Amino acid sequence: MLMKHGMPSRLAFLDCAKNCMLASSPVFRRQQFLIRSLGGASDHQIHFAKMKDLKSVEADAESILRAITPPLDPSRHKGQAGKIAVIGGCREYTGAPYFAAISALKIGADLSHVFCTKDAAPVIKSYSPELIVHPVLEESYSIRDEDKRSIASKVLSEVDKWMERFDCLVIGPGLGRDPFLLDCVSEIMRLAKKSNIPMVIDGDGLFLVTNNLDLVSGYALAVLTPNVNEYKRLVQKVLSSEVNDLDAPQQLLSLAKQIGNLTILRKGKSDLISDGETVKSVSIFGSPRRCGGQGDILSGSVAVFLSWARQHILAADANTNLSSKNPTVLGSIAGSALVRKAASLAFLNKKRSTVTGDIIECLGRSLEDIIPAS
Amino acid sequence: MLMKHGMPSRLAFLDCAKNCMLASSPVFRRQQFLIRSLGGASDHQIHFAKMKDLKSVEADAESILRAITPPLDPSRHKGQAGKIAVIGGCREYTGAPYFAAISALKIGADLSHVFCTKDAAPVIKSYSPELIVHPVLEESYSIRDEDKRSIASKVLSEVDKWMERFDCLVIGPGLGRDPFLLDCVSEIMRLAKKSNIPMVIDGDGLFLVTNNLDLVSGYALAVLTPNVNEYKRLVQKVLSSEVNDLDAPQQLLSLAKQIGNLTILRKGKSDLISDGETVKSVSIFGSPRRCGGQGDILSGSVAVFLSWARQHILAADANTNLSSKNPTVLGSIAGSALVRKAASLAFLNKKRSTVTGDIIECLGRSLEDIIPAS
């Protein structure tokens, strides 16, 4: 089936090897020459020209969602469908961590925590009694230099006592860029790695990681979810080059490989996902609205699906028919597809006035359409 | 009628004497032997095998709900349908006490109070103007050691001046585990006992009680509502053994008897309720969602129904046809049945995205279905 932006619910699997082979084929190079010669072919045409020979590696995001979403079994108890924690929320930003954390619950996680600064906590709590909000982070403006060491140690111990309980962390929504706070978050990430807790890294978490690649390098349970600008900074930093949209899958694959053994979900018109081995794409039609906060929904969603995919793979003991056995790739595909579907539903109803909360309210119905709860 | 999980609206009364008799019958023992010999029969099969001979002691939770729910009489004044107070809410937890307190109102109590820490109060107030929230509790981090005695005394006097007005306390939702705060709550429980105020104890209240059994031992107006993990700790502490699911009713009865003259509502796939004399079960189908907060709804609901059952028994002067005359048992059955019915309704509508607030919104309709207000 042809992949075309705007067509409902399809996932293109862009196999890396095949992509490289195509790039070197005379037919493909001639196509590219013709497109360039025509002077400014639209993105859509380029996308179409690049994709039409890749139909044999396409797959269906819905089959992944169906495979990894756990059954609703009355014998299960609280926590078994997922415990997520968002590290984010500071004096300036409170909406982003809320969006990420509440999205996790609305998809079906059992418990959703937020670790934020003391200023942000009462506000995030007030958005919803469903979240457990820990006022433990500190920003430089509120502490003295001589207290930094002891406060950092206290922050770490507060988070550490919870760490083992979580199935996934989301690092970054509304984190801000305070240096002391980011130092503490670096230590939290090191703790998470020690305990093999998966991490989805977005927003200011990506700012932190781009400047400290060792925090994620070689950690197979990390997912980065950059938008256009965050991706640009990553490419500049890691590949010392500019973003090349004509060869996006290959560049994404190189970036993931270069950082080493992690997964990147590059957000865009189509979302591209690579773990350095394969490149996959999710092009389900979402919404033309670009209201802030949609990335936060995605990070919370990927966290839940990543946890479920990990459980599924462990339980299936590798006897699964899925095209990938990498839970970070599966979680990214599922999260990307579901959020796009929810955005599309919300836009149908709210049009230009669609805001992030409207999309969150459509997460449940979108999942139900794909995998009915009973 | 056969008891079967998933069947609508039935209540099994497992009479203790009958249970003991069954346990010693050769037929029953042979059944158990066969089940064990088959090696890993499902929970459902075991449940079914154990229950099918108990149909003669089944009863209907709805008849209890109808009997104890007071009529809506225009001549009654504010407060007569119940005044509930939740002791809980600290720096970390604000959702849990809110869920318990608002559930009490949504079932039909007239007034619902929360006694929480100073940090938690503005947040809990912000969830709803319907609640009366007292910022009176203190945690260790905010006070100096030398002030502890005077602050404890102040906390006690603040709560004490309200105590006589309440029909039931809910101890524990979002209480946290701060040692100073728990010491104050121990004193509040002693005050409540002196005034014969019933208490429903959940969450961190159970942590406190498990380590201080004298707080509830011999107090017939106490109900403990442990979940899987809280029950495990109680059994280990009191019976010095592990949880035995094959003989769950007998073990629960022994536990209640051993602590002495109180009621335990053991939450699970079926809820089991014992006051040390009988064991009853509520198996109405609820919801397979295990989002955090459902236990808080239950604690607030049991508090209201316990108060109503107590009023009913006093008014009926023992001329009631109910199978139990114990208000803590009746309140537990009614609360368990109503919350399960509400969860089931909420799940019908919201499926995997059901959160605790959705269930609370279904409490009123669930009660109306059983006992229409007019």
PDB file of all heavy atoms in Angstrom, chain A residues 70 74 76 78 105-106 108-110 125-126 129-130 133-134 162 368, chain B residues 91-93 95 99 123 126-127 289-292 351-353 356-357:
ATOM      1  N   PRO A  70      -1.921  -4.376  27.384  1.00  0.00           N
ATOM      2  CA  PRO A  70      -2.227  -5.554  28.204  1.00  0.00           C
ATOM      3  C   PRO A  70      -3.733  -5.762  28.336  1.00  0.00           C
ATOM      4  O   PRO A  70      -4.500  -4.801  28.302  1.00  0.00           O
ATOM      5  CB  PRO A  70      -1.615  -5.207  29.566  1.00  0.00           C
ATOM      6  CG  PRO A  70      -1.535  -3.725  29.599  1.00  0.00           C
ATOM      7  CD  PRO A  70      -1.383  -3.258  28.181  1.00  0.00           C
ATOM      8  N   PRO A  74      -9.473  -8.779  35.629  1.00  0.00           N
ATOM      9  CA  PRO A  74      -9.918  -8.405  36.975  1.00  0.00           C
ATOM     10  C   PRO A  74      -9.000  -8.925  38.088  1.00  0.00           C
ATOM     11  O   PRO A  74      -9.068  -8.433  39.212  1.00  0.00           O
ATOM     12  CB  PRO A  74     -11.309  -9.051  37.089  1.00  0.00           C
ATOM     13  CG  PRO A  74     -11.744  -9.317  35.701  1.00  0.00           C
ATOM     14  CD  PRO A  74     -10.499  -9.556  34.906  1.00  0.00           C
ATOM     15  N   ARG A  76      -5.812  -8.635  38.161  1.00  0.00           N
ATOM     16  CA  ARG A  76      -4.625  -7.785  38.325  1.00  0.00           C
ATOM     17  C   ARG A  76      -4.884  -6.729  39.395  1.00  0.00           C
ATOM     18  O   ARG A  76      -6.020  -6.356  39.644  1.00  0.00           O
ATOM     19  CB  ARG A  76      -4.285  -7.101  36.991  1.00  0.00           C
ATOM     20  CG  ARG A  76      -3.702  -8.094  35.990  1.00  0.00           C
ATOM     21  CD  ARG A  76      -3.750  -7.534  34.598  1.00  0.00           C
ATOM     22  NE  ARG A  76      -2.770  -6.487  34.395  1.00  0.00           N
ATOM     23  CZ  ARG A  76      -1.591  -6.653  33.791  1.00  0.00           C
ATOM     24  NH1 ARG A  76      -1.253  -7.827  33.341  1.00  0.00           N
ATOM     25  NH2 ARG A  76      -0.763  -5.647  33.629  1.00  0.00           N
ATOM     26  N   LYS A  78      -3.572  -2.943  41.563  1.00  0.00           N
ATOM     27  CA  LYS A  78      -3.104  -1.575  41.298  1.00  0.00           C
ATOM     28  C   LYS A  78      -1.596  -1.551  41.049  1.00  0.00           C
ATOM     29  O   LYS A  78      -0.829  -2.061  41.860  1.00  0.00           O
ATOM     30  CB  LYS A  78      -3.457  -0.679  42.491  1.00  0.00           C
ATOM     31  CG  LYS A  78      -3.118   0.783  42.291  1.00  0.00           C
ATOM     32  CD  LYS A  78      -3.685   1.645  43.398  1.00  0.00           C
ATOM     33  CE  LYS A  78      -2.883   1.551  44.683  1.00  0.00           C
ATOM     34  NZ  LYS A  78      -3.377   2.455  45.723  1.00  0.00           N
ATOM     35  N   LEU A 105      -2.153   8.391  32.551  1.00  0.00           N
ATOM     36  CA  LEU A 105      -3.328   7.806  33.215  1.00  0.00           C
ATOM     37  C   LEU A 105      -4.464   7.555  32.236  1.00  0.00           C
ATOM     38  O   LEU A 105      -5.151   6.537  32.299  1.00  0.00           O
ATOM     39  CB  LEU A 105      -3.859   8.745  34.305  1.00  0.00           C
ATOM     40  CG  LEU A 105      -3.154   8.782  35.646  1.00  0.00           C
ATOM     41  CD1 LEU A 105      -3.917   9.694  36.591  1.00  0.00           C
ATOM     42  CD2 LEU A 105      -3.024   7.393  36.253  1.00  0.00           C
ATOM     43  N   LYS A 106      -4.658   8.510  31.313  1.00  0.00           N
ATOM     44  CA  LYS A 106      -5.800   8.414  30.397  1.00  0.00           C
ATOM     45  C   LYS A 106      -5.620   7.285  29.374  1.00  0.00           C
ATOM     46  O   LYS A 106      -6.573   6.846  28.745  1.00  0.00           O
ATOM     47  CB  LYS A 106      -6.007   9.740  29.661  1.00  0.00           C
ATOM     48  CG  LYS A 106      -6.400  10.877  30.594  1.00  0.00           C
ATOM     49  CD  LYS A 106      -7.886  10.893  30.892  1.00  0.00           C
ATOM     50  CE  LYS A 106      -8.258  12.081  31.764  1.00  0.00           C
ATOM     51  NZ  LYS A 106      -9.700  12.233  31.924  1.00  0.00           N
ATOM     52  N   GLY A 108      -4.147   4.453  30.337  1.00  0.00           N
ATOM     53  CA  GLY A 108      -4.404   3.227  31.087  1.00  0.00           C
ATOM     54  C   GLY A 108      -3.376   2.878  32.144  1.00  0.00           C
ATOM     55  O   GLY A 108      -3.460   1.806  32.749  1.00  0.00           O
ATOM     56  N   ALA A 109      -2.380   3.749  32.373  1.00  0.00           N
ATOM     57  CA  ALA A 109      -1.447   3.490  33.480  1.00  0.00           C
ATOM     58  C   ALA A 109      -2.229   3.586  34.797  1.00  0.00           C
ATOM     59  O   ALA A 109      -3.252   4.269  34.874  1.00  0.00           O
ATOM     60  CB  ALA A 109      -0.312   4.506  33.465  1.00  0.00           C
ATOM     61  N   ASP A 110      -1.741   2.897  35.824  1.00  0.00           N
ATOM     62  CA  ASP A 110      -2.454   2.892  37.106  1.00  0.00           C
ATOM     63  C   ASP A 110      -2.063   4.075  37.991  1.00  0.00           C
ATOM     64  O   ASP A 110      -2.888   4.590  38.739  1.00  0.00           O
ATOM     65  CB  ASP A 110      -2.161   1.596  37.872  1.00  0.00           C
ATOM     66  CG  ASP A 110      -2.919   0.414  37.286  1.00  0.00           C
ATOM     67  OD1 ASP A 110      -3.873   0.642  36.525  1.00  0.00           O
ATOM     68  OD2 ASP A 110      -2.548  -0.734  37.592  1.00  0.00           O
ATOM     69  N   LYS A 125      -0.669  20.027  41.356  1.00  0.00           N
ATOM     70  CA  LYS A 125      -1.645  19.261  42.146  1.00  0.00           C
ATOM     71  C   LYS A 125      -3.061  19.763  41.875  1.00  0.00           C
ATOM     72  O   LYS A 125      -4.001  18.984  41.756  1.00  0.00           O
ATOM     73  CB  LYS A 125      -1.351  19.429  43.647  1.00  0.00           C
ATOM     74  CG  LYS A 125      -0.172  18.626  44.181  1.00  0.00           C
ATOM     75  CD  LYS A 125       0.168  19.099  45.596  1.00  0.00           C
ATOM     76  CE  LYS A 125       1.390  18.425  46.165  1.00  0.00           C
ATOM     77  NZ  LYS A 125       1.160  17.061  46.638  1.00  0.00           N
ATOM     78  N   SER A 126      -3.190  21.088  41.796  1.00  0.00           N
ATOM     79  CA  SER A 126      -4.535  21.659  41.665  1.00  0.00           C
ATOM     80  C   SER A 126      -5.170  21.357  40.310  1.00  0.00           C
ATOM     81  O   SER A 126      -6.381  21.419  40.170  1.00  0.00           O
ATOM     82  CB  SER A 126      -4.508  23.167  41.915  1.00  0.00           C
ATOM     83  OG  SER A 126      -4.002  23.831  40.769  1.00  0.00           O
ATOM     84  N   PRO A 129      -6.587  15.938  41.015  1.00  0.00           N
ATOM     85  CA  PRO A 129      -6.285  15.101  42.177  1.00  0.00           C
ATOM     86  C   PRO A 129      -5.825  13.700  41.782  1.00  0.00           C
ATOM     87  O   PRO A 129      -5.470  12.908  42.656  1.00  0.00           O
ATOM     88  CB  PRO A 129      -7.636  15.045  42.914  1.00  0.00           C
ATOM     89  CG  PRO A 129      -8.662  15.284  41.861  1.00  0.00           C
ATOM     90  CD  PRO A 129      -8.029  16.190  40.850  1.00  0.00           C
ATOM     91  N   GLU A 130      -5.823  13.388  40.497  1.00  0.00           N
ATOM     92  CA  GLU A 130      -5.448  12.038  40.060  1.00  0.00           C
ATOM     93  C   GLU A 130      -3.935  11.823  40.121  1.00  0.00           C
ATOM     94  O   GLU A 130      -3.475  10.684  40.122  1.00  0.00           O
ATOM     95  CB  GLU A 130      -5.909  11.791  38.605  1.00  0.00           C
ATOM     96  CG  GLU A 130      -7.359  12.114  38.310  1.00  0.00           C
ATOM     97  CD  GLU A 130      -8.346  11.089  38.856  1.00  0.00           C
ATOM     98  OE1 GLU A 130      -7.911  10.021  39.311  1.00  0.00           O
ATOM     99  OE2 GLU A 130      -9.558  11.380  38.847  1.00  0.00           O
ATOM    100  N   VAL A 133       2.030  14.300  43.278  1.00  0.00           N
ATOM    101  CA  VAL A 133       3.005  15.340  42.931  1.00  0.00           C
ATOM    102  C   VAL A 133       3.980  15.542  44.097  1.00  0.00           C
ATOM    103  O   VAL A 133       3.561  15.832  45.220  1.00  0.00           O
ATOM    104  CB  VAL A 133       2.294  16.661  42.589  1.00  0.00           C
ATOM    105  CG1 VAL A 133       3.302  17.728  42.195  1.00  0.00           C
ATOM    106  CG2 VAL A 133       1.279  16.448  41.470  1.00  0.00           C
ATOM    107  N   HIS A 134       5.260  15.383  43.821  1.00  0.00           N
ATOM    108  CA  HIS A 134       6.294  15.482  44.860  1.00  0.00           C
ATOM    109  C   HIS A 134       7.041  16.804  44.720  1.00  0.00           C
ATOM    110  O   HIS A 134       7.740  17.003  43.723  1.00  0.00           O
ATOM    111  CB  HIS A 134       7.298  14.337  44.721  1.00  0.00           C
ATOM    112  CG  HIS A 134       6.667  12.978  44.694  1.00  0.00           C
ATOM    113  ND1 HIS A 134       6.638  12.162  45.791  1.00  0.00           N
ATOM    114  CD2 HIS A 134       6.038  12.292  43.707  1.00  0.00           C
ATOM    115  CE1 HIS A 134       6.019  11.025  45.482  1.00  0.00           C
ATOM    116  NE2 HIS A 134       5.652  11.077  44.218  1.00  0.00           N
ATOM    117  N   TRP A 162      11.872   6.278  45.585  1.00  0.00           N
ATOM    118  CA  TRP A 162      10.737   5.892  44.747  1.00  0.00           C
ATOM    119  C   TRP A 162      11.168   5.140  43.489  1.00  0.00           C
ATOM    120  O   TRP A 162      10.356   4.471  42.852  1.00  0.00           O
ATOM    121  CB  TRP A 162       9.967   7.151  44.316  1.00  0.00           C
ATOM    122  CG  TRP A 162       9.175   7.782  45.409  1.00  0.00           C
ATOM    123  CD1 TRP A 162       9.601   8.762  46.270  1.00  0.00           C
ATOM    124  CD2 TRP A 162       7.829   7.480  45.779  1.00  0.00           C
ATOM    125  NE1 TRP A 162       8.597   9.080  47.144  1.00  0.00           N
ATOM    126  CE2 TRP A 162       7.494   8.303  46.866  1.00  0.00           C
ATOM    127  CE3 TRP A 162       6.879   6.587  45.287  1.00  0.00           C
ATOM    128  CZ2 TRP A 162       6.244   8.275  47.473  1.00  0.00           C
ATOM    129  CZ3 TRP A 162       5.633   6.553  45.889  1.00  0.00           C
ATOM    130  CH2 TRP A 162       5.326   7.384  46.969  1.00  0.00           C
ATOM    131  N   GLU A 368      -9.610   2.917  22.331  1.00  0.00           N
ATOM    132  CA  GLU A 368     -10.776   2.023  22.307  1.00  0.00           C
ATOM    133  C   GLU A 368     -11.144   1.637  20.869  1.00  0.00           C
ATOM    134  O   GLU A 368     -11.532   0.501  20.612  1.00  0.00           O
ATOM    135  CB  GLU A 368     -11.949   2.734  23.009  1.00  0.00           C
ATOM    136  CG  GLU A 368     -13.197   1.911  23.168  1.00  0.00           C
ATOM    137  CD  GLU A 368     -13.058   0.729  24.112  1.00  0.00           C
ATOM    138  OE1 GLU A 368     -12.075   0.680  24.874  1.00  0.00           O
ATOM    139  OE2 GLU A 368     -13.923  -0.164  24.050  1.00  0.00           O
TER     140      GLU A 368
ATOM    141  N   ARG B  91       2.098  16.960  52.450  1.00  0.00           N
ATOM    142  CA  ARG B  91       2.837  17.649  51.391  1.00  0.00           C
ATOM    143  C   ARG B  91       2.789  16.860  50.079  1.00  0.00           C
ATOM    144  O   ARG B  91       2.641  17.420  49.009  1.00  0.00           O
ATOM    145  CB  ARG B  91       4.284  17.858  51.832  1.00  0.00           C
ATOM    146  CG  ARG B  91       5.070  18.732  50.893  1.00  0.00           C
ATOM    147  CD  ARG B  91       6.390  19.132  51.484  1.00  0.00           C
ATOM    148  NE  ARG B  91       7.200  17.961  51.825  1.00  0.00           N
ATOM    149  CZ  ARG B  91       8.529  17.957  51.866  1.00  0.00           C
ATOM    150  NH1 ARG B  91       9.187  19.076  51.613  1.00  0.00           N
ATOM    151  NH2 ARG B  91       9.195  16.891  52.183  1.00  0.00           N
ATOM    152  N   GLU B  92       2.906  15.535  50.180  1.00  0.00           N
ATOM    153  CA  GLU B  92       2.943  14.720  48.966  1.00  0.00           C
ATOM    154  C   GLU B  92       1.556  14.390  48.418  1.00  0.00           C
ATOM    155  O   GLU B  92       1.356  14.372  47.217  1.00  0.00           O
ATOM    156  CB  GLU B  92       3.688  13.413  49.236  1.00  0.00           C
ATOM    157  CG  GLU B  92       5.178  13.532  48.987  1.00  0.00           C
ATOM    158  CD  GLU B  92       5.910  12.246  49.297  1.00  0.00           C
ATOM    159  OE1 GLU B  92       5.492  11.520  50.219  1.00  0.00           O
ATOM    160  OE2 GLU B  92       6.925  11.981  48.628  1.00  0.00           O
ATOM    161  N   TYR B  93       0.623  14.094  49.325  1.00  0.00           N
ATOM    162  CA  TYR B  93      -0.664  13.566  48.868  1.00  0.00           C
ATOM    163  C   TYR B  93      -1.823  14.513  49.154  1.00  0.00           C
ATOM    164  O   TYR B  93      -2.067  14.864  50.309  1.00  0.00           O
ATOM    165  CB  TYR B  93      -0.956  12.229  49.541  1.00  0.00           C
ATOM    166  CG  TYR B  93       0.134  11.215  49.361  1.00  0.00           C
ATOM    167  CD1 TYR B  93       0.909  10.803  50.431  1.00  0.00           C
ATOM    168  CD2 TYR B  93       0.404  10.677  48.108  1.00  0.00           C
ATOM    169  CE1 TYR B  93       1.920   9.875  50.269  1.00  0.00           C
ATOM    170  CE2 TYR B  93       1.413   9.753  47.937  1.00  0.00           C
ATOM    171  CZ  TYR B  93       2.164   9.356  49.017  1.00  0.00           C
ATOM    172  OH  TYR B  93       3.167   8.448  48.853  1.00  0.00           O
ATOM    173  N   GLY B  95      -4.693  14.257  46.573  1.00  0.00           N
ATOM    174  CA  GLY B  95      -5.809  13.662  45.842  1.00  0.00           C
ATOM    175  C   GLY B  95      -6.610  12.698  46.712  1.00  0.00           C
ATOM    176  O   GLY B  95      -7.845  12.719  46.699  1.00  0.00           O
ATOM    177  N   PHE B  99     -10.639  12.639  47.316  1.00  0.00           N
ATOM    178  CA  PHE B  99     -11.503  11.577  46.783  1.00  0.00           C
ATOM    179  C   PHE B  99     -12.413  11.011  47.883  1.00  0.00           C
ATOM    180  O   PHE B  99     -13.597  10.778  47.658  1.00  0.00           O
ATOM    181  CB  PHE B  99     -10.659  10.442  46.185  1.00  0.00           C
ATOM    182  CG  PHE B  99      -9.967  10.784  44.890  1.00  0.00           C
ATOM    183  CD1 PHE B  99      -8.673  10.338  44.626  1.00  0.00           C
ATOM    184  CD2 PHE B  99     -10.610  11.531  43.905  1.00  0.00           C
ATOM    185  CE1 PHE B  99      -8.034  10.633  43.426  1.00  0.00           C
ATOM    186  CE2 PHE B  99      -9.976  11.833  42.694  1.00  0.00           C
ATOM    187  CZ  PHE B  99      -8.683  11.383  42.460  1.00  0.00           C
ATOM    188  N   VAL B 123      -4.466  23.306  48.369  1.00  0.00           N
ATOM    189  CA  VAL B 123      -4.662  22.461  47.187  1.00  0.00           C
ATOM    190  C   VAL B 123      -5.979  21.698  47.295  1.00  0.00           C
ATOM    191  O   VAL B 123      -6.777  21.670  46.350  1.00  0.00           O
ATOM    192  CB  VAL B 123      -3.484  21.470  47.021  1.00  0.00           C
ATOM    193  CG1 VAL B 123      -3.739  20.538  45.848  1.00  0.00           C
ATOM    194  CG2 VAL B 123      -2.177  22.220  46.834  1.00  0.00           C
ATOM    195  N   SER B 126      -8.804  23.820  46.696  1.00  0.00           N
ATOM    196  CA  SER B 126      -8.945  24.209  45.285  1.00  0.00           C
ATOM    197  C   SER B 126      -9.649  23.138  44.455  1.00  0.00           C
ATOM    198  O   SER B 126     -10.206  23.437  43.409  1.00  0.00           O
ATOM    199  CB  SER B 126      -7.584  24.535  44.664  1.00  0.00           C
ATOM    200  OG  SER B 126      -6.891  23.342  44.331  1.00  0.00           O
ATOM    201  N   TYR B 127      -9.623  21.891  44.889  1.00  0.00           N
ATOM    202  CA  TYR B 127     -10.314  20.836  44.139  1.00  0.00           C
ATOM    203  C   TYR B 127     -11.829  21.038  44.184  1.00  0.00           C
ATOM    204  O   TYR B 127     -12.535  20.656  43.259  1.00  0.00           O
ATOM    205  CB  TYR B 127     -10.002  19.447  44.719  1.00  0.00           C
ATOM    206  CG  TYR B 127      -8.578  18.981  44.553  1.00  0.00           C
ATOM    207  CD1 TYR B 127      -7.951  18.228  45.544  1.00  0.00           C
ATOM    208  CD2 TYR B 127      -7.858  19.272  43.401  1.00  0.00           C
ATOM    209  CE1 TYR B 127      -6.661  17.778  45.396  1.00  0.00           C
ATOM    210  CE2 TYR B 127      -6.551  18.830  43.251  1.00  0.00           C
ATOM    211  CZ  TYR B 127      -5.948  18.085  44.251  1.00  0.00           C
ATOM    212  OH  TYR B 127      -4.672  17.643  44.105  1.00  0.00           O
ATOM    213  N   ARG B 289     -10.165  -1.736  35.652  1.00  0.00           N
ATOM    214  CA  ARG B 289      -9.169  -0.666  35.778  1.00  0.00           C
ATOM    215  C   ARG B 289      -8.704  -0.595  37.222  1.00  0.00           C
ATOM    216  O   ARG B 289      -9.509  -0.687  38.148  1.00  0.00           O
ATOM    217  CB  ARG B 289      -9.801   0.689  35.392  1.00  0.00           C
ATOM    218  CG  ARG B 289      -9.622   1.038  33.950  1.00  0.00           C
ATOM    219  CD  ARG B 289      -8.202   1.425  33.609  1.00  0.00           C
ATOM    220  NE  ARG B 289      -7.918   2.836  33.856  1.00  0.00           N
ATOM    221  CZ  ARG B 289      -6.718   3.295  34.162  1.00  0.00           C
ATOM    222  NH1 ARG B 289      -5.697   2.498  34.294  1.00  0.00           N
ATOM    223  NH2 ARG B 289      -6.541   4.594  34.331  1.00  0.00           N
ATOM    224  N   ARG B 290      -7.407  -0.420  37.428  1.00  0.00           N
ATOM    225  CA  ARG B 290      -6.856  -0.376  38.776  1.00  0.00           C
ATOM    226  C   ARG B 290      -6.158   0.954  39.058  1.00  0.00           C
ATOM    227  O   ARG B 290      -5.135   1.003  39.735  1.00  0.00           O
ATOM    228  CB  ARG B 290      -5.865  -1.532  38.972  1.00  0.00           C
ATOM    229  CG  ARG B 290      -6.502  -2.908  38.952  1.00  0.00           C
ATOM    230  CD  ARG B 290      -7.284  -3.185  40.234  1.00  0.00           C
ATOM    231  NE  ARG B 290      -8.028  -4.425  40.116  1.00  0.00           N
ATOM    232  CZ  ARG B 290      -9.282  -4.515  39.684  1.00  0.00           C
ATOM    233  NH1 ARG B 290      -9.946  -3.422  39.349  1.00  0.00           N
ATOM    234  NH2 ARG B 290      -9.889  -5.675  39.609  1.00  0.00           N
ATOM    235  N   CYS B 291      -6.721   2.035  38.505  1.00  0.00           N
ATOM    236  CA  CYS B 291      -6.119   3.348  38.715  1.00  0.00           C
ATOM    237  C   CYS B 291      -6.143   3.693  40.205  1.00  0.00           C
ATOM    238  O   CYS B 291      -7.092   3.364  40.918  1.00  0.00           O
ATOM    239  CB  CYS B 291      -6.872   4.406  37.912  1.00  0.00           C
ATOM    240  SG  CYS B 291      -8.656   4.371  38.115  1.00  0.00           S
ATOM    241  N   GLY B 292      -5.095   4.343  40.660  1.00  0.00           N
ATOM    242  CA  GLY B 292      -4.997   4.707  42.068  1.00  0.00           C
ATOM    243  C   GLY B 292      -6.126   5.629  42.488  1.00  0.00           C
ATOM    244  O   GLY B 292      -6.560   6.476  41.707  1.00  0.00           O
ATOM    245  N   LYS B 351     -13.903   3.246  29.612  1.00  0.00           N
ATOM    246  CA  LYS B 351     -12.997   2.128  29.290  1.00  0.00           C
ATOM    247  C   LYS B 351     -11.607   2.323  29.911  1.00  0.00           C
ATOM    248  O   LYS B 351     -11.495   2.711  31.048  1.00  0.00           O
ATOM    249  CB  LYS B 351     -12.922   1.928  27.767  1.00  0.00           C
ATOM    250  CG  LYS B 351     -14.285   1.729  27.139  1.00  0.00           C
ATOM    251  CD  LYS B 351     -14.866   0.370  27.491  1.00  0.00           C
ATOM    252  CE  LYS B 351     -16.218   0.169  26.839  1.00  0.00           C
ATOM    253  NZ  LYS B 351     -16.814  -1.120  27.137  1.00  0.00           N
ATOM    254  N   ARG B 352     -10.553   2.094  29.111  1.00  0.00           N
ATOM    255  CA  ARG B 352      -9.201   2.146  29.676  1.00  0.00           C
ATOM    256  C   ARG B 352      -8.841   3.508  30.246  1.00  0.00           C
ATOM    257  O   ARG B 352      -7.931   3.632  31.063  1.00  0.00           O
ATOM    258  CB  ARG B 352      -8.153   1.803  28.610  1.00  0.00           C
ATOM    259  CG  ARG B 352      -8.125   0.358  28.243  1.00  0.00           C
ATOM    260  CD  ARG B 352      -7.085   0.086  27.160  1.00  0.00           C
ATOM    261  NE  ARG B 352      -7.379  -1.167  26.500  1.00  0.00           N
ATOM    262  CZ  ARG B 352      -6.990  -2.343  26.950  1.00  0.00           C
ATOM    263  NH1 ARG B 352      -6.253  -2.414  28.026  1.00  0.00           N
ATOM    264  NH2 ARG B 352      -7.310  -3.447  26.317  1.00  0.00           N
ATOM    265  N   SER B 353      -9.517   4.554  29.790  1.00  0.00           N
ATOM    266  CA  SER B 353      -9.139   5.893  30.270  1.00  0.00           C
ATOM    267  C   SER B 353      -9.887   6.286  31.541  1.00  0.00           C
ATOM    268  O   SER B 353      -9.760   7.419  32.008  1.00  0.00           O
ATOM    269  CB  SER B 353      -9.334   6.940  29.171  1.00  0.00           C
ATOM    270  OG  SER B 353     -10.696   7.159  28.941  1.00  0.00           O
ATOM    271  N   THR B 356     -10.235   7.900  38.640  1.00  0.00           N
ATOM    272  CA  THR B 356     -11.026   7.865  39.871  1.00  0.00           C
ATOM    273  C   THR B 356     -12.172   8.886  39.867  1.00  0.00           C
ATOM    274  O   THR B 356     -13.274   8.589  40.316  1.00  0.00           O
ATOM    275  CB  THR B 356     -10.077   8.054  41.069  1.00  0.00           C
ATOM    276  OG1 THR B 356      -9.196   6.923  41.061  1.00  0.00           O
ATOM    277  CG2 THR B 356     -10.811   8.084  42.385  1.00  0.00           C
ATOM    278  N   GLY B 357     -11.916  10.072  39.347  1.00  0.00           N
ATOM    279  CA  GLY B 357     -12.953  11.103  39.276  1.00  0.00           C
ATOM    280  C   GLY B 357     -14.168  10.647  38.475  1.00  0.00           C
ATOM    281  O   GLY B 357     -15.308  11.019  38.790  1.00  0.00           O
TER     282      GLY B 357
END
